[in-house]
Amino acid sequence: MLTYSPGLHMLATFSAPVGPLTAAAACRSFFDGEIARLGLTKVGEVYHTFPNGSFTAVVGLTESHLSIHTWPEHGLATFDVFLSNFQRDNSATVRQLYAATLQFFEATEQSKTEVSR
């Protein structure tokens, strides 16, 4: 029997320009590309755009999930990704996905918490 090795759960808040914070379709394409690039497996997704252009996205992965919630009226987003380490150590993958997300959104990190689970 394999011993469970906790994964890394990252929770962050970042500031970003309004453009990327209202670009749900572009974010979906970006997340799909990153999921493929990092060898992750998407099992479901929900994207919802609000009247002001802000959006919420939750992507289920076999490894766990990633999500983002944007507030363009405040120039902010919250981001959350958890990848379990059941079959391989995904800690570096979590950090790569977060770094790519900051770059995609032209963002500045406001806060970040890493939780080993």
Side-chain angles (χ1 to χ4, degrees), residues 7-39:
L8 181 61
H9 192 172
M10 182 179 292
L11 304 120
T13 300
F14 56 79
S15 59
V18 171
L21 294 174
T22 57
C27 179
R28 177 181 283 190
S29 294
F30 165 73
F31 280 164
D32 285 349
E34 287 301 295
I35 288 165
R37 182 180 73 81
L38 296 169

Side-chain angles (χ1 to χ4, degrees), residues 71-82:
W71 288 272
E73 68 274 23
H74 300 291
L76 293 172
T78 57
F79 177 80
D80 152 27
V81 59
F82 174 53

